[in-house]
């Protein structure tokens, strides 16, 4: 991928490649797709996240867990410069996408958010737009596309979001006609349309019923074939089901990160063990 500091002239990126084996963070062999160095996120004079160092490898799902108010969502929003949209908020430290600091002077924040897409807790389809227009909205930043090319991208993104077969005959219908779970997958399709490198999911199933939750969890497994995925969840069972790596946050600090199986069966930090065994949270 070209530097995020350069003009956006990325070639088309292949998708649906077979998932690759990922080394655990204790013994990394490959350069991280995304890396955080000494990151502190401020709200005015209060630090919501303090001194985090972490790396995210390609084709991996990383779950961020911890009690409410521990900094998970704040940290997630620093990864694509959404945090800076909060009045009085600022970030210290570095977030490196393929080695390039997204906070470096002159880097276009909108382009960063195209490369590091984000899906929020509550489905947020654009209410005045059709299903097709919602997906295509993700393409407005970047070179203009023909109608045929746009339609191709819309179909590809909807297929990746496991929604194409359910909506292909009503693409011009209102997005609000979809169920809550379908609306969330539509938002995922909108994020995938510009072919990001990283997908951030902030409690994407919190407002869904069990059936909708199951579809999103299945989709997360599919997405890691093509993307680096970071998901915030309050549901530890969900973290165990969908992630390769789990990171535990507490009081704004990263307490421990490692392979999910180890975090849930043999955590190294007493605070992590207390949380995953249900003694607080």
């Amino acid at each position: 991928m070209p530097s995020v500091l350069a003009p956006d002239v990325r070639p088309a990126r292949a998708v649906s490649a077979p998932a690759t084996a990922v080394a655990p963070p204790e013994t990394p062999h490959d350069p991280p797709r995304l890396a955080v160095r000494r990151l502190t996120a401020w709200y005015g004079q209060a630090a919501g996240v303090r001194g985090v160092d972490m790396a995210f490898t390609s084709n991996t799902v990383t779950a961020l867990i911890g009690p409410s108010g521990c900094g998970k969502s704040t940290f997630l929003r620093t990864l694509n410069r959404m945090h800076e949209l909060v009045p009085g908020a600022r970030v210290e430290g570095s977030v490196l996408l393929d080695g390039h600091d997204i906070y470096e002077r002159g880097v276009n924040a909108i382009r960063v958010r195209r490369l590091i897409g984000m899906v929020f807790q509550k489905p947020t389809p654009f209410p005045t737009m059709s299903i097709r227009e919602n997906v295509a909205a993700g393409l407005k930043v970047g070179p203009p596309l023909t109608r045929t090319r746009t339609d191709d991208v819309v179909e590809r993104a909807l297929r990746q979001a496991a929604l194409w077969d359910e909506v292909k005959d009503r693409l011009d219908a209102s997005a609000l006609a979809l169920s809550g779970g379908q609306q969330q997958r539509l938002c995922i399709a909108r994020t995938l349309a510009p072919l990001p490198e990283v997908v951030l999911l902030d409690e994407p199933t919190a407002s869904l019923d069990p059936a909708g939750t199951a579809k999103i969890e299945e989709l997360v497994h599919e997405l890691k074939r093509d993307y680096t995925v970071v998901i915030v969840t309050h549901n530890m069972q969900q973290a165990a089901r969908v992630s390769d790596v789990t990171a535990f946050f507490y009081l704004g600090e990263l307490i421990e990160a490692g392979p999910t199986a180890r975090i849930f069966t043999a955590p190294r930090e007493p605070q992590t063990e207390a949380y995953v065994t249900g003694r607080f949270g």
Side-chain angles (χ1 to χ4, degrees), residues 119-131 133-135 137 163 173-188 190 207:
V119 177
F120 299 94
Q121 177 176 344
K122 184 178 179 181
T124 56
F126 299 130
T128 61
M129 293 185 181
S130 68
I131 294 169
E133 290 168 336
N134 261 273
V135 180
L163 190 57
S174 169
L176 297 184
L178 300 176
S179 70
Q182 289 173 323
Q183 288 184 17
Q184 191 65 301
R185 282 183 283 146
L186 178 66
C187 294
I188 292 173
R190 186 173 67 204
S207 61

Side-chain angles (χ1 to χ4, degrees), residues 34 56 60 62 64 76 79 198-201 228-232:
L34 192 66
F56 304 89
T60 304
T62 300
L64 310 182
L76 195 74
L79 299 181
V198 179
V199 177
L200 310 177
L201 305 171
T228 300
V229 181
V230 186
I231 180 171
V232 166

